[in-house]
């Protein structure tokens, strides 16, 4: 099978292609480890070439510089891609025990948090896991489509899914096709729910969707046409190249206005938010079809749904309710584990707790306000500061 050679990355297109190529290598490694087979020798060699290629990109202003079309350049934060490749190499070359020791050295109080998580879940027969991805069971990346899942991450999560939970669901705001392209877990192990749970790829490879009425879909199509035109302008193209970029989902669309490295000037980012708000008002002056959720990094434009006689944006709690019925998650009759890292994930926990007070929760955050909000909902909740801690809790339970 084709490996990865050391290459000189010159353009953004080169970078995206190289990271996409690493997905197949990582999937092969994960399959071998889970099957207790020897990992092919070309995989660590290819990952080493990947790392060298990434590290060789010229540094500039705290990032790494690549070319765009028209003679322009862009400076990117490649911290995730470099760090996760380093960690995968260490995991493959040194083994899991030494790898966990490395994580403990890297993250303060690692063993203490992992121990608390194991205690929370020890002896619990979980019917379902519903977890967010980025920032929860995957470290944050400055761009979505290069946040290829790591080998160690996929091994730990899949091992947990196989041995401790009946129906594991990864539920994100991302579009379904994008989520699949960056995932390395073996096929058929997880339900992949996207667009906040409006659409889902089940473990048999079938796509399931919550219906959208024709008038709502027409409004969505009109919005996406306007967003395509807006971000196609030279002064706005940069917003498609950072963070989540421009994503057309099922029932909502996302436009990045900033990334985790703060590469966009604050005033320019806020001006773009104002432009997006104006665009939505033009399309929906009565506020019947859309709601805007601004995370500070992404602007989510979401189709409304009926709720108690009124209109609201579709949130992850609505997604959990749909998936519970569609997939038979058993949240009302069993025990579920809900994992998240932001306020947008709290509705998942609220929906699960409304169905069963036995629900467990682990959230990844350093924000005291969010931690208090989660622990105020249930005493069976744990707060940890790093995704690697949560992944280790699950993978070594």
């Amino acid at each position: 099978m084709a490996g990865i050679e050391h290459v000189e990355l010159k353009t953004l297109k080169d970078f995206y292609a190289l990271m996409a190529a690493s997905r197949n290598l990582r999937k092969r490694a994960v399959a071998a480890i889970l099957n207790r087979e020897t990992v092919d020798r070309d995989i660590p060699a290819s990952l080493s070439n990947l790392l060298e290629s990434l590290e060789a990109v010229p540094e500039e202003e705290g990032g790494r510089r690549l070319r765009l079309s028209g003679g322009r350049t862009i400076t990117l934060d490649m911290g995730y891609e470099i760090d996760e490749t380093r960690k995968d190499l260490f995991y493959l070359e040194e083994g899991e025990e030494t790898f966990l020791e490395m994580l403990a050295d890297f993250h303060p109080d690692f063993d203490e948090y992992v121990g608390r998580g194991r205690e929370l879940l020890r002896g619990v027969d979980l019917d379902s896991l519903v977890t967010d991805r980025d920032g929860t069971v995957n470290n944050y990346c400055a761009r979505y489509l290069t946040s290829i899942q790591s080998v160690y991450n996929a091994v730990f999560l899949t091992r947990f899914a196989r041995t401790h939970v009946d129906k594991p669901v990864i539920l994100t705001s991302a579009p379904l096709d994008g989520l699949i392209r960056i995932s390395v877990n073996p096929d058929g192990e997880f339900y992949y729910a996207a667009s906040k749970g409006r659409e889902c790829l089940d473990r048999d490879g079938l796509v399931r969707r919550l219906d959208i009425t024709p008038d709502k879909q027409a409004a969505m199509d009109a919005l996406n046409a306007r967003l395509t035109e807006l971000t196609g302008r030279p002064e706005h193209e940069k917003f498609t190249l950072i963070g989540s970029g421009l994503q057309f989902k099922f029932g909502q669309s996302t436009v990045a206005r900033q990334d985790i490295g703060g590469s966009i000037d604050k005033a320019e980012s806020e001006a773009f938010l104002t432009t997006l708000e104006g665009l939505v008002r033009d399309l929906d002056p009565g506020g019947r079809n859309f709601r805007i959720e601004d995370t500070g990094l992404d602007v989510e434009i979401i189709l409304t749904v009926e709720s108690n006689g009124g209109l609201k944006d579709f949130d992850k709690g609505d997604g959990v309710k749909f998936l519970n019925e569609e997939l038979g998650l058993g949240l009302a009759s069993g025990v579920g584990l809900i994992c998240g890292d932001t306020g947008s994930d709290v509705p998942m926990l609220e929906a699960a707790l409304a169905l069963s007070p036995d629900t467990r929760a682990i959230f990844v955050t350093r924000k005291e306000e969010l931690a208090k909000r989660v622990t105020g909902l249930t005493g069976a909740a744990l707060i940890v500061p790093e995704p690697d801690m949560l992944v280790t809790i699950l993978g070594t339970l």
Side-chain angles (χ1 to χ4, degrees), residues 63-329:
R64 294 179 185 267
R65 187 181 70 255
L66 291 171
R67 291 203 309 262
L68 299 171
S69 60
R72 295 166 298 145
T73 63
I74 186 171
T75 301
L76 304 174
D77 175 3
M78 294 185 182
Y80 172 91
E81 295 85 353
I82 290 173
D83 289 346
E84 295 303 295
T85 304
R86 286 174 178 163
K87 285 153 78 175
D88 270 351
L89 277 168
F90 192 91
Y91 177 67
L92 293 174
E93 293 172 351
E94 302 296 331
E96 185 168 310
E97 184 176 348
T98 306
F99 177 76
L100 292 175
E101 291 173 357
M102 182 271 290
L103 289 182
D105 289 339
F106 189 72
H107 297 300
D109 301 319
F110 181 85
D111 290 333
E112 180 181 349
Y113 282 110
V114 171
R116 290 180 191 173
R118 289 173 177 163
E119 192 61 34
L120 176 70
L121 300 178
R122 182 170 285 119
V124 178
D125 185 15
L126 290 173
D127 292 272
S128 61
L129 163 72
V130 183
T131 179
D132 174 59
R133 181 186 189 266
D134 296 284
T136 303
V137 291
N138 206 82
N139 289 304
Y140 267 122
C141 179
R143 287 149 310 279
Y144 194 72
L145 289 181
T146 58
S147 62
I148 307 298
Q149 187 181 14
S150 307
V151 172
Y152 75 90
N153 185 284
V155 170
F156 285 16
L157 292 180
T158 302
R159 195 160 61 199
F160 175 76
R162 287 180 174 180
T163 58
H164 289 287
V165 63
D166 290 334
K167 295 191 175 180
V169 181
I170 295 175
L171 194 164
T172 82
S173 296
L176 186 58
D177 60 343
L179 175 60
I180 301 306
R181 289 203 303 270
I182 59 178
S183 296
V184 173
N185 305 304
D187 297 340
E189 298 289 349
F190 287 86
Y191 295 94
Y192 290 106
S195 303
K196 293 189 176 178
R198 280 186 184 267
E199 56 179 344
C200 176
L201 180 72
D202 68 21
R203 291 192 290 188
D204 294 322
L206 300 176
V207 176
R208 309 190 190 198
R209 291 190 172 99
L210 179 64
D211 289 339
I212 295 176
T213 60
D215 60 317
K216 291 279 189 181
Q217 188 59 58
M220 203 76 224
D221 293 342
L223 169 69
N224 290 343
R226 287 286 297 275
L227 290 175
T228 299
E229 187 276 328
L230 178 70
T231 56
R233 300 174 191 172
E235 67 269 27
H236 294 142
E237 181 191 21
K238 66 185 71 176
F239 296 104
T240 69
L241 303 174
I242 64 167
S244 298
L246 174 62
Q247 296 182 355
F248 296 144
K249 308 173 183 179
F250 189 67
Q252 70 182 78
S253 294
T254 298
V255 192
R257 71 176 182 92
Q258 188 58 278
D259 60 26
I260 58 174
S263 63
I264 304 296
D265 176 78
K266 182 178 180 181
E268 185 178 6
S269 173
E270 291 177 351
F272 187 58
L273 170 61
T274 300
T275 298
L276 291 170
E277 290 171 337
L279 184 154
V280 172
R281 280 196 303 272
D282 288 344
L283 288 171
D284 186 31
R288 295 288 304 169
N289 290 320
F290 298 116
R291 293 290 184 271
I292 291 180
E293 178 182 309
D294 173 40
T295 70
L297 300 177
D298 295 333
V299 181
E300 301 271 7
I301 306 171
I302 309 161
L303 279 180
T304 55
V305 292
E306 292 283 347
S307 177
N308 298 322
L311 292 170
K312 67 180 285 290
D313 60 308
F314 185 94
D315 62 31
K316 287 185 175 181
D318 298 308
V320 165
K321 295 171 188 175
F322 166 64
L323 295 170
N324 184 51
E325 295 180 2
E326 183 72 14
L327 305 178
L329 299 183

